[in-house]
Amino acid sequence: MSTASSSVTVSDQFPAGLRVLVVDDDPTCLRILEKMLGTCLYEVTKCNRAEIALDMLRTNKNGYDIVISDVHMPDMDGFKLLEQVGLEMDLPVIMMSADDSKQVVMKGVTHGACDYLIKPVRIEALKNIWQHVVRKRKNEWKDLEQSGSVEEGDRQPKPSEEADYSSSANEGNWRTSKRRKDEEEEIEERDDTSTLKKPRVVWSVELHQQFVSAVNQLGIDKAVPKKILELMNVPGLTRENVASHLQKYRLYLRRLSGVSPHQGNSFISSHSQEPPYGSLSSLSGLDFQTLAATGQIPAQSLATLQAAGLARSAAKPGLPMPLVDQRNIFSFDNQKLRFGEGQPQHMSSGKQMNLLHGIPTTMDSKQLVNLHHSAQSLGSLNMQASAHGNPSGQSSPLLMQMAQPQSRGQILTETSGGQVPRLPTSVGHPILSNGAAGAMLAINGIGENSRGTGYNSVSQTSSVLNFPLNHSAELPGNSFPLGSTPGISAGMSTLTTKGGFQEEINSDIKGSGGFMPSYDIFNDLQQHKPHNWELQNVGFAFDASQHSNSLQASVDVTPSVLVNQGYSSSQRNVQNSNVSAMGKPIFSVGEGSEHGIALNVGQHLNSLLVDNSTRVKSERVTDTSCQPTLLPQHFGQEDLMSAILKQQQDGLGPAENDFEFDGYSLDNIPV
Amino acid sequence: MERNQQLRRQLASMRQSLFDQGHLDEQFILLEELQDDANPNFVEEVVTLHYRDSARLITTIERALEKSPLDFNKLDGYMHQFKGSSTSIGAKKVKAESTQFREYCEAGNGEGCMKTFQLLKRDYATLRRKLEAYFQLARQAGPNEIACRPK
């Protein structure tokens, strides 16, 4: 039998040359399909293993136009491959199976298959598969340019390729147009973060430091995303990632330099607005559970968190952590997320300021990811509490990593952890690990700050960052001594210095128990933490209310500072403070899990929190143990820090349970 | 030439009986249609691939049927694979038996499975034998004749 009768004419080349990748473990079917597709004049590549197919797709990103895959394969479920391809390459995928039951077909549809063929496949069915490619391109184009180039239904590449037709290969034409489309699509994709599935960047502490050093090298005025990107030289990092991060950083700096906290707040709030926060709250509820689920959060912490009612929004203290889990944290340092894990212990190691991470180090990065989801907004926050978690000593608690989803979770965790302040929230750090974190986050409400405690001034929405702080703030009921406690107040005043706060806190914290060391990190983190700041203020707000409004003032100052620092440190402090302030959510978590709370900062915080929690006992915050991290943020970081530090130093002892979060209404947390 | 014609007639008749006896269905014809000058032995190639692959499955199913208790899920899975492969070459009887087997699996009827499998094996072997003879003859008759059937 002769092959395709139609000789390809120049103008009719399409769909000839369509590059098809066919995956099927049955060699017989594979051979037949290959032949059939060849008859349709497609360019066929066959593969009998799904994994291999994915590799091929990955290494040759633009090498294929469409994928046809069998449903039942031994090494990987066809639907899973379908999802992966859709996520990573966004190519149209056709499923096939001898199974024509409705359920299976439905499954194909729900997983995103653009068509479903019943075996044995007829060549007629294959002749039209090009329509899926065109359709997809058309939709993409539309998004891209809203132009009508693809309209006509079948936006065939023809017109665009005409010029090339005369050249030898049809494929060339097809490819050219495809290439063009790809480019545009890529551009679009890049811009349209929300739609395309792009891996989320998790701004780990290390990454952030790289970023900071790049910025410093260039000079903050001259630091443009492109150059920063070049300097950083991190594979996989896009200009967009850097740009958004830079924006946050700038805000943070501005805040440090005295920009009205309001702005900062707005920043945070704006950030927090993002779903992450909202989600955080919701997350918190959910997250906690998820987080807990991820196992990161110690059950107890979770419970405590829950008890604390951190669930603020979602009321599921479940710590968003689990959220993190799911998402692949594209962070560069996912590991960081481990905050929760073992972090508490690390805390004592003091080095990691993970405090910032606030994100419950216990939370796995994955959790953070989860949080991230919720914390999407936080995304930028990157709070990645990872810092905390980074046992690697990343001292920069910048949990920023959590590329948003995490932040949420993180933040939550952080709050609970008290340690890592808010940063994680955005990151969704699982850090909340202990549930406390979750609670914290919840508290932070990542915006929800509206927590009843009043601390919420932190605009809960503001990035999750606030969480830690906010929560604490919310805790007002908790006796979060930070605010009220004299010690804290004192500290608070110092906090005002914000900048100093960090340092102070650090120092203090250090003293307290290695908890603070991260402050330095926080500073770095601070950059990210703008969001937190807001929260912090809020957190402090409550503190202020509790302790002394003065703190607030000071807090405001630092909100960013605190926040940032807080992230690392403030988080801790805040966390701590939050713990107290927040009431228990944080502490409770911490208390229960003490470590858990410390989540954020990683170990440090954990220790702190733990301590703080005890200390925080209602107002004891000032006890020094007041987990400075948490509070500081609110108060103006510096003050808080000092206060907290003091407390810590004193030996965090009593604070625990003061946290009654009761006052803290997580619900307020604007999630 | 005459011999060739004779061979071809033989071939055609052989082929026809496969259809008549219900061993092969339309799918086989579609395979023949795919054969062209670029792939003159396409059908034989595919059939060979099928038998190589399915032989392995047959053994697997056989072993699984010896186990006790029977794992119907697994059996069903194997048979699903086997069925897909058989369907693609147009093995009509075998395909029907595969379907039957799967139904028994679903019902948890071990005995039904075993009985059906015996039938399946028999028909599987029969078709295999016949196709082997067919292709052998086709090679003798000359490549052009193999898939040459009036459209």
Side-chain angles (χ1 to χ4, degrees), chain A residues 494-511:
Chain A
T494 42
L495 287 173
T496 39
T497 46
K498 278 211 287 219
F501 175 74
Q502 304 225 335
E503 283 139 45
E504 295 177 283
I505 303 186
N506 293 323
S507 52
D508 285 346
I509 299 184
K510 292 196 186 136

Side-chain angles (χ1 to χ4, degrees), chain A residues 16 51 101 130 138 232 290 353 391 478 497 577-578 590 611 654:
Chain A
E51 294 287 357
S101 66
W130 58 265
K138 181 182 175 172
M232 284 177 75
T290 36
M353 258 309 293
N478 309 303
T497 46
S577 50
N578 288 332
D611 289 331

Side-chain angles (χ1 to χ4, degrees), chain B residues 8-146:
Chain B
R8 286 204 215 121
R9 249 180 279 139
Q10 234 182 312
L11 200 61
S13 143
M14 237 184 166
R15 183 180 167 283
Q16 193 54 47
S17 77
L18 283 170
F19 284 103
D20 294 341
Q21 290 168 7
H23 286 292
L24 291 177
D25 61 25
E26 261 290 307
Q27 182 66 22
F28 191 83
I29 298 172
L30 294 177
L31 287 187
E32 290 177 323
E33 285 176 355
L34 281 173
Q35 188 160 290
D36 54 22
D37 294 338
N39 303 89
N41 298 313
F42 180 70
V43 187
E44 186 180 356
E45 183 191 338
V46 172
V47 169
T48 308
L49 264 174
H50 165 71
Y51 280 112
R52 200 185 303 152
D53 187 50
S54 56
R56 182 183 49 85
L57 271 170
I58 293 274
T59 312
T60 307
I61 296 174
E62 214 152 21
R63 261 192 243 124
L65 280 172
E66 283 162 15
K67 293 209 161 92
S68 173
L70 290 176
D71 185 344
F72 290 109
N73 273 340
K74 268 213 181 127
L75 283 169
D76 185 70
Y78 296 139
M79 190 49 77
H80 173 88
Q81 268 182 271
F82 180 84
K83 181 185 169 186
S85 193
S86 303
T87 305
S88 55
I89 67 155
K92 197 172 176 182
K93 275 193 185 173
V94 174
K95 176 183 168 186
E97 272 139 12
S98 305
T99 306
Q100 182 72 66
F101 184 94
R102 290 190 75 198
E103 279 169 20
Y104 280 128
C105 278
E106 228 174 302
N109 185 340
E111 201 169 308
C113 283
M114 291 202 231
K115 272 207 208 136
T116 306
F117 190 65
Q118 295 311 313
L119 289 171
L120 185 150
K121 267 205 293 183
R122 191 196 59 193
D123 287 332
Y124 171 85
T126 304
L127 180 59
R128 184 177 192 159
R129 204 176 3 99
K130 293 195 176 205
L131 283 173
E132 273 169 5
Y134 175 77
F135 287 120
Q136 207 166 13
L137 189 60
R139 263 181 261 125
Q140 284 180 353
N144 290 343
E145 308 299 334
I146 295 177

Side-chain angles (χ1 to χ4, degrees), chain A residues 294-335:
Chain A
T294 44
Q296 296 301 341
I297 309 180
Q300 37 185 319
S301 43
L302 214 58
T304 33
L305 281 175
Q306 304 201 345
L310 287 178
R312 47 186 183 111
S313 42
K316 292 197 284 177
L319 293 187
M321 309 218 280
L323 295 181
V324 173
D325 226 1
Q326 327 179 311
R327 262 288 123 215
N328 15 218
I329 303 192
F330 288 95
S331 58
F332 297 90
D333 299 328
N334 286 333
Q335 344 66 58

Side-chain angles (χ1 to χ4, degrees), chain A residues 66-77:
Chain A
I66 190 165
V67 178
I68 301 180
S69 170
D70 187 38
V71 167
H72 299 276
M73 288 189 286
D75 67 328
M76 189 195 284
D77 181 31

Side-chain angles (χ1 to χ4, degrees), chain A residues 656-667:
Chain A
E656 37 214 48
N657 320 320
D658 283 349
F659 292 95
E660 309 152 335
F661 281 66
D662 314 332
Y664 189 74
S665 47
L666 292 176
D667 300 336

